[in-house]
Amino acid sequence: VRTPGPPGEYWIMGQAAPSDSDNQMDSQNRLTTAHNGDWTADFTYNNNDKLPNRINMRHPQGYKVVMTINRLS
C-alpha cells in the first residue's frame, strides 16, 4: 500500500494535487473531497477558514490516516 505522500503537500494547504481525480469543492470553493490512487481524502474546515483543520484519508484495504492541523497565530 502506497501512502498518500506527495498529495499531502497540496492537501494540507487545501489544494488538489496535480495527480488527484474527481475532486469536489464546497460553495466557498474549498476542496472537500479528493481522490489520489486508491486513497480518498475528506477535508473539514473551521467556519470560513480557507485552510483545512482536519483531513481524513481512507484506503480501500482498511487503512485510515487522520490529520488534525493546528495553526499557531
Side-chain angles (χ1 to χ4, degrees), residues 36-48:
N36 196 296
D38 289 333
W39 289 91
T40 299
D42 295 312
F43 300 79
T44 305
Y45 299 83
N46 281 330
N47 303 312
N48 292 322

Side-chain angles (χ1 to χ4, degrees), residues 2 9 41 43 62 65 72:
R2 289 184 41 216
E9 299 170 26
F43 300 79
V65 177
L72 302 175

Side-chain angles (χ1 to χ4, degrees), residues 20-32:
D20 286 355
S21 62
D22 193 29
N23 300 320
Q24 297 176 2
M25 310 294 266
D26 67 9
S27 62
Q28 296 182 43
N29 205 32
R30 300 177 301 190
L31 186 63
T32 57

Side-chain angles (χ1 to χ4, degrees), residues 55-73:
I55 304 171
N56 291 300
M57 297 170 267
R58 297 178 317 280
H59 190 275
Q61 290 183 356
Y63 298 100
K64 182 177 181 181
V65 177
V66 178
M67 185 181 303
T68 301
I69 305 163
N70 295 310
R71 289 179 179 77
L72 302 175
S73 42

